[in-house]
Amino acid sequence: MASPLERKIKITGPVVVTANRVADGAVIYRDADGGWTTRLDAAAVATNAASARALIAEANADDLRAVGPYIAPVELTASGGRRPGNLRELIRLSGPTIDLPVSFGI
Amino acid sequence: MYIYDSIDRTLVAERVAEFRDQVARRLSGELTEDEFKPLRLMNGVYLQLHAYMLRIANPYGTLSSEQLRRLAHVARHYDRGYGHFTTRQNIQFHWIKLEQLPDAMADLADAGMHGMQTSGNNVRNITTDQWAGVAPDEIEDPRIWAEIIRQHVTLHPEFSFMPRKFKICVGTASHDRAALRIHDLALRLHRNAAGEAGFEVMVGGGLGRTPYLAQTIRPFLKKRDLLSYVEAVLRTYNQFGRRDNIWKARIKILVHDLGAAAFAKDVEAEWQSIKDGPLALDAATVAEIASRFVYPDYEALEDGPPALAAARRADSRFDRWVNNAVANHKKPGYAIVTLSLKPEGGTPGDCTAVQMDAIADLADRYSFSEIRIGHEQNLALPHVAQRDLPAVWRALDALGLATPNIGLVSDIISCPGLDYCSLANARSIPIAQEITRRFHDLDRQRELGRLHINISGCINACGHHHVGHIGILGVEKNGEEFYQITLGGKADDNAELGTLIGPAVPYAKVADVVEDIADTYVALRTGPDELFIDTLARTGIEPFRERVYAAR
Ligand code: HEM
Ligand code: SF4
């Protein structure tokens, strides 16, 4: 039976499923082979609610590898690549928008 | 310095071993995230946008040089070479890996540090004045009282599952440097008309979605009654605080709903039944705890050594720094030195491993191996001989820790915001950085005088925006970052919450707005001696609002 969360899924554009990797917290995306990737370009993209639901259901079942999976918007570029759909996802993918404090030596 | 006893050490070591086992079981799949999450949170491990985060409590903002070196080691070996000091006198590491956390924790435990009770619905790290034990205006060392409370509440079964987290702050000086009134429970030691020292008890402060300042429920409490009274407050909250709604669970809501007088009545009734029991403090217990705070073996020195005066005459940069970052010490011939973690364009509160090691060395050489963390996200060397100030300054200057901006417009308090935090609506750090660049002229900053800017990336208010002279709160509108501006907040002896001046402004306009506000102040003030906050109190926010919104 679908959980209430899964039943509510409505999407307005292309989405991916993202989470944090259990071992180190790194940002990961569900790929089409039932695994996870750190590359947004390699993520499985869902464009309708049914495929999004399937992706998130698989992801939720993979508790050993991924923490807190959720559906996140992406934009598809003309060249077939992907861009994060909002600032939060952009920061998750590319890191903080500020320089890390290296000026006094690391 | 505080000397931990063997009970603390054993407890911390056991906790690390337990956590190592829990992490192994999580990594092997034996524990699900739902099972593991409460266990990691109990040890201060959060999950942020890019990584796990480890929060470490530094009781009373006091660190030994050995501890700071250990933090540097953790930053270097398990993180990306830096740590972030927070408004709760804690430090956070933002890039730590779960697989390595048990080792990092074991290294910290060797130096008596841990992340227990930095999360969860228990009594959090008790905060105090960062100048505890050295401030000339204190009645006695607040850490003694904070420690008495800490020992009682740490892992206390009754107070480990309260309706919500509970933050206690203790102050004993005539100036409030610890933001007492924004805490769930604040205890302020003062003298009554008869000259006897006792505590003013304030409850129900807190920021977040529903900000309140703590209200006084007892103007004077004898010292012997401190622990029993704290117990009565905690029990009353535990019994009546709301558990059905996380947004209404803090004690501030209970105190507000009941009214402070009615809440006080409940506390007093509870207290009557326990005040003469085992929690009454006898002099021997207090003396025993006090004896664990070891004070340096100060030299007999005199204030104002001639070499210092000569150095100040010889170098105007040094002189400016002394005026800004050096404060009076209890002991003649000594000084308290504040280290600015707010360089122009930097991230407020960040400190690199290289800096930490160097500060630890300076502390060994010039400050009896002690360092303090203040809630403004700066550090301090608490016992520097005045004759050593030139040497300390040269070293700090070379490390980028001597920006003479303490208390000025670029000494910004900021939470990590959307660059790190999974709860954020908007970024905080780049806003702070842009403001420091706009005001990069230190003469202009000095002319503006005391002006506190506090920034939070969401309504949780980790950056204390409600009590900034200028408060900046990140919100989200249709996927864009916007910022609400409040004016007139204060976290000192006359604490107040700021007033919202109007509609939120977009990311790119925030620094302009701050400049407009600063210019309006300069135009309106009666003279350079009238502080921003006093001009604002005299004129109200209207002229500021007009200026900010007229332009846009
Ligand atoms: C990045 C991870 C962080 C998370 C997930 C987090 C989460 C929260 C939450 C949920 C609250 C609201 C609690 C409530 O109202 O019941 C809160 C409050 C607070 N946080 Fe954080 N925080 C984080 C970082 C920080 C940092 C870096 C600081 C210091 C700069 C900080 C200082 C505070 C303070 C002082 C409050 C108190 C507000 C109050 O007492 O109502 N937090 N935090
Ligand atoms: S105020 Fe919000 S954005 Fe900032 S650290 Fe706290 S929870 Fe995160």
Side-chain angles (χ1 to χ4, degrees):
Chain A
M1 212 186 84
S3 76
L5 241 181
E6 289 169 46
R7 264 184 270 124
K8 262 197 319 221
I9 292 171
K10 265 200 213 120
I11 62 172
T12 52
V15 297
V16 295
V17 165
T18 180
N20 291 83
R21 191 155 63 197
V22 169
D24 62 0
V27 174
I28 48 178
Y29 305 91
R30 191 79 185 167
D31 67 22
D33 307 325
W36 294 91
T37 171
T38 53
R39 289 178 42 237
L40 181 58
D41 279 340
V45 175
T47 48
N48 59 55
S51 53
R53 197 179 296 129
L55 265 185
I56 188 80
E58 272 175 33
N60 279 329
D62 196 4
D63 182 73
L64 177 57
R65 289 190 289 179
V67 188
Y70 63 92
I71 293 172
V74 278
E75 285 167 17
L76 304 181
T77 62
S79 56
R82 283 140 219 187
R83 263 201 306 264
N86 59 39
L87 178 61
R88 183 178 193 273
E89 291 307 322
L90 175 68
I91 292 173
R92 286 182 76 245
L93 178 68
S94 329
T97 62
I98 48 171
D99 292 336
L100 302 189
V102 291
S103 43
F104 292 95
I106 287 196
Chain B
M1 265 335 292
Y2 177 76
I3 310 290
Y4 276 94
D5 64 15
S6 56
I7 303 179
D8 289 304
R9 287 197 179 273
T10 311
L11 184 82
V12 173
E14 282 173 5
R15 194 47 103 70
V16 172
E18 191 181 85
F19 190 64
R20 192 180 289 285
D21 175 58
Q22 290 161 348
V23 169
R25 288 194 289 149
R26 174 69 184 119
L27 292 172
S28 73
E30 211 179 303
L31 289 178
T32 64
E33 181 62 16
D34 284 350
E35 290 162 340
F36 180 66
K37 187 175 175 187
L39 304 175
R40 67 169 160 82
L41 287 175
M42 271 168 61
N43 292 290
V45 179
Y46 288 75
L47 185 64
Q48 289 302 291
L49 290 183
H50 323 279
Y52 292 94
M53 172 197 105
L54 175 63
R55 182 181 289 164
I56 297 145
N58 301 298
Y60 328 128
T62 300
L63 283 176
S64 67
S65 50
E66 183 209 345
Q67 289 175 319
L68 187 58
R69 272 191 203 98
R70 200 51 69 96
L71 293 172
H73 161 84
V74 168
R76 194 175 279 124
H77 290 275
Y78 305 105
D79 207 273
R80 297 202 177 170
Y82 68 98
H84 177 73
F85 288 101
T86 79
T87 49
R88 303 211 70 258
Q89 300 181 314
N90 293 333
I91 185 168
Q92 296 183 171
F93 291 108
H94 285 149
W95 299 97
I96 210 132
K97 298 181 168 70
L98 186 62
E99 317 165 284
Q100 298 188 336
L101 263 162
D103 289 341
M105 281 181 180
D107 291 350
L108 291 165
D110 283 345
M113 291 184 286
H114 59 80
M116 280 184 245
Q117 301 202 190
T118 59
S119 168
N121 296 334
N122 47 40
V123 178
R124 300 292 186 86
N125 189 23
I126 298 173
T127 51
T128 54
D129 189 343
Q130 67 265 31
W131 294 354
V134 294
D137 66 334
E138 79 181 10
I139 297 175
E140 53 189 75
D141 194 328
R143 294 172 299 176
I144 297 167
W145 303 101
E147 177 59 17
I148 289 172
I149 301 169
R150 185 191 75 87
Q151 292 197 357
H152 180 60
V153 299
T154 298
L155 305 181
H156 189 304
E158 203 177 322
F159 307 135
S160 296
F161 300 96
M162 293 197 289
R164 198 77 179 84
K165 61 169 117 168
F166 201 88
K167 297 178 182 176
I168 302 179
C169 183
V170 182
T172 58
S174 53
H175 288 291
D176 176 7
R177 281 176 289 266
L180 282 161
R181 282 200 186 265
I182 65 171
H183 290 81
D184 297 274
L185 171 60
L187 301 154
R188 185 180 72 91
L189 193 72
H190 63 107
R191 289 190 197 284
N192 65 10
E196 189 193 348
F199 290 96
E200 177 184 8
V201 180
M202 299 167 263
V203 295
L207 301 176
R209 181 180 293 214
T210 324
Y212 288 117
L213 295 175
Q215 300 183 59
T216 302
I217 58 166
R218 192 171 237 277
F220 192 86
L221 178 75
K222 286 188 191 310
K223 291 183 196 170
R224 77 175 279 278
D225 295 325
L226 180 72
L227 205 50
S228 57
Y229 206 86
V230 167
E231 172 96 3
V233 169
L234 288 171
R235 284 190 189 176
T236 305
Y237 169 53
N238 225 356
Q239 185 178 356
F240 298 112
R242 288 182 62 170
R243 291 172 189 269
D244 59 323
N245 180 338
I246 194 175
W247 299 111
K248 298 194 187 293
R250 292 288 286 271
I251 192 175
K252 63 189 174 186
I253 306 291
L254 178 65
V255 171
H256 183 78
D257 286 354
L258 286 177
F263 181 80
K265 234 171 110 190
D266 287 340
V267 172
E268 295 277 328
E270 180 67 34
W271 183 53
Q272 286 308 322
S273 68
I274 56 174
K275 73 196 262 280
D276 297 317
L279 293 180
L281 292 167
D282 56 52
T285 309
V286 177
E288 202 276 314
I289 302 247
S291 73
R292 298 220 224 138
F293 287 91
V294 185
Y295 297 93
D297 200 2
Y298 295 110
E299 283 176 67
L301 297 174
E302 283 186 27
D303 275 332
L308 174 61
R312 294 182 68 165
R313 276 193 306 273
D315 189 334
S316 62
R317 281 182 71 233
F318 173 61
D319 185 55
R320 173 193 288 196
W321 175 79
V322 173
N323 278 327
N324 176 260
V326 177
N328 293 336
H329 194 284
K330 230 177 208 177
K331 290 283 175 208
Y334 284 87
I336 306 167
V337 171
T338 299
L339 281 52
S340 173
L341 295 183
K342 319 288 177 72
E344 183 186 329
T347 296
D350 275 7
C351 191
T352 67
V354 170
Q355 287 174 319
M356 290 184 214
D357 275 336
I359 296 166
D361 291 346
L362 285 174
D364 281 342
R365 188 143 174 219
Y366 298 112
S367 181
F368 297 93
S369 302
E370 219 182 296
I371 302 99
R372 302 294 177 84
I373 308 162
H375 83 271
E376 299 89 348
Q377 303 179 281
N378 289 317
L379 301 179
L381 293 174
H383 325 278
V384 177
Q386 292 168 10
R387 60 151 192 255
D388 294 332
L389 286 169
V392 169
W393 173 70
R394 277 191 298 273
L396 293 176
D397 194 34
L399 289 163
L401 296 166
T403 313
N405 63 350
I406 307 302
L408 304 182
V409 65
S410 64
D411 186 4
I412 297 172
I413 293 179
S414 167
C415 80
L418 189 57
D419 285 295
Y420 293 97
C421 178
S422 55
L423 303 175
N425 287 322
R427 287 172 291 167
S428 308
I429 296 167
I431 296 278
Q433 293 176 333
E434 176 60 16
I435 294 170
T436 65
R437 287 189 201 102
R438 295 291 179 94
F439 291 90
H440 83 105
D441 177 356
L442 283 163
D443 288 328
R444 180 172 174 215
Q445 290 199 37
R446 214 165 21 150
E447 255 164 53
L448 285 172
R450 186 164 273 282
L451 208 179
H452 299 168
I453 298 183
N454 294 2
I455 310 176
S456 305
C458 82
I459 195 63
N460 286 322
C462 302
H464 289 183
H465 64 276
H466 301 100
V467 291
H469 295 170
I470 301 176
I472 301 175
L473 163 64
V475 294
E476 192 217 290
K477 280 192 190 176
N478 305 322
E480 301 285 319
E481 296 168 288
F482 274 76
Y483 296 82
Q484 293 182 349
I485 312 290
T486 51
L487 288 182
K490 287 188 277 186
D492 60 8
D493 316 279
N494 306 306
E496 273 184 50
L497 300 173
T499 308
L500 184 65
I501 63 166
V505 298
Y507 178 87
K509 292 286 176 210
V510 177
D512 293 347
V513 166
V514 171
E515 285 206 277
D516 285 345
I517 291 168
D519 291 346
T520 309
Y521 153 63
V522 172
L524 289 174
R525 68 182 176 188
T526 53
D529 290 341
E530 192 180 58
L531 296 180
F532 172 80
I533 197 73
D534 296 329
T535 301
L536 184 67
R538 182 170 55 76
T539 65
I541 64 169
E542 206 46 50
F544 293 88
R545 185 208 309 264
E546 260 171 40
R547 169 73 183 263
V548 166
Y549 294 99
R552 5 206 93 79

